[in-house]
Amino acid sequence: MTTAKRIVFIGAAGDMCRVAIDRFARAAGHGAWKLELYDIRPDVLEEFVATLPVAGVTVGSFDLFDKVALRKAISGAALVVLGAGPYNKTAEPVMQACIEKKVPYLDLDDDEESTLTAMDLDARARKAGVPIFVGCGASPGLTNVMAADAARDMDTVDRIDVCWVTGDEGPVPYGRAVLDHAIRGYAGPCHTWEHGQSVIHQTFLETDVVALGNTLGDSYRLYECAHPEAVTMPRRWPGADRIRVLGALDPPPVNGIMRGIAVAVQQGKISMDQAIDFVNDVMTDKMGSPRVWKHALSGLWGTVRRGEIGAGEVLKYLAAAAGGKHPEFRGTNYVRVTGTRDGEQVVSVRRVPVSGPGTAWTDMASATGSATAAFMLLAIEGLGARSGVLAPEDWADPERFYAALAKTGGSKPHEVVEAVVTPSTALTVARVGASASPNER
């Protein structure tokens, strides 16, 4: 490539997007791409740009809801990467602009509502010949690729359980868009795929205990939540009896707290801003609003009353929190696919090592940003070959993606994703690189 092509990042100052930019810049090679970073806080990016291993990176600012400014910024770009949330507000206008200007789009959106909106744009994107790559983070993103990988171990897919855990990152505030998404995800409706059709469940009511392994153990409780995987995966596996997403925050008592304040927001008892302020206060070792604590403790008591967590564990957590003590960060992605091969039931699992100290993925931003950078590497290789709204399971080859993730995540390839298949004889030649049959693609 003789002339550098432009990649436009919108929301570049966000923690996850900065990781994606850094990891992509280091993995993609020098001189091939001209990076343009836009954010409503451009001053935050100046010091960051100085750390990048590429020259000619530019920084700017515009209002993405300004149609003229948005189209001017993206016109002629080789790829637009949206890292600005909350995606239920930001994704649609940027996708619409990219389709209009015929510019490929990629995001790390983990919002169910905006994913449904994106899927409604599929026909327009196909007609325009524009690829709209959605959900290119850790979950969704890496989890979708893991599901596609595991599904190759069987002839029919009956059930997919997508699981995620993310943990305490110490006394630092979270971004408001991240917390807005998280709080909305702990109360209200969520889409799930059940008996071959899309149905609506109530978030957080269905729970399951999963053997996540490593330091998370063999009986970690997770909760059904609103997430894009259950929206996009039925397009690939419409015959599945069940596709759901289960998630949790670590340590476990935090889930009850989040549930309590999320229900209070849903019922109009507190505002979203009050809920976000409370979470950031508590996470940074401040007291938090007594008014919001009332709802947080109600949610916490609910998890004890239902037997989801023991009172001793709750008291231990509250005592540590009162003393400003934070546990080590733990997080993982885990996908379990159940189906049949040669008439025999097969369970195929893909999981990443539990992240934290001593691993390449030390927090949620590093895990998500590394995955986004890997998806970018794959996307730019195939520009011009795809169109329409594409979730990762639709286009990302597992082996090539794992290799890219090992590169952007700073891990050895064999450390990226572990495969566990029962019975082990179900592991076939298709898993190790031979051409898959139509049922396996």
Side-chain angles (χ1 to χ4, degrees), residues 2 12 18 72 97 188 191 223 275 283 300 321 332 348 367 389 400 437:
T2 57
R18 276 185 291 165
K72 181 180 178 181
H191 283 77
Y223 300 86
M283 292 308 300
L300 193 53
T332 195
S348 188
V389 175
R400 290 177 60 230
S437 70

Side-chain angles (χ1 to χ4, degrees), residues 23-82:
R23 304 283 171 96
F24 173 81
R26 296 180 189 281
H30 300 282
W33 301 95
K34 181 180 184 297
L35 309 183
E36 298 181 4
L37 315 185
Y38 293 95
D39 199 275
I40 57 173
R41 305 165 295 161
D43 54 300
V44 176
L45 292 168
E46 297 295 344
E47 185 176 343
F48 168 67
V49 168
T51 69
L52 296 176
V54 293
V57 180
T58 60
V59 173
S61 181
F62 68 88
D63 181 354
L64 70 81
F65 300 107
D66 181 331
K67 293 183 178 181
V68 174
L70 172 59
R71 282 155 179 77
K72 181 180 178 181
I74 70 171
S75 183
L79 180 68
V80 168
V81 178
L82 178 63

Side-chain angles (χ1 to χ4, degrees), residues 291-305:
R291 178 185 178 188
V292 182
W293 261 118
K294 170 185 174 183
H295 303 292
L297 292 174
S298 175
L300 193 53
W301 166 243
T303 62
V304 175
R305 178 173 49 81

Side-chain angles (χ1 to χ4, degrees), residues 137-166:
S139 176
L142 168 59
T143 50
N144 303 61
V145 177
M146 291 160 67
D149 182 15
R152 297 184 298 177
D153 290 329
M154 51 201 69
D155 298 320
T156 65
V157 171
D158 299 328
R159 185 183 183 101
I160 302 175
D161 294 306
V162 176
C163 307
W164 58 264
V165 175
T166 191

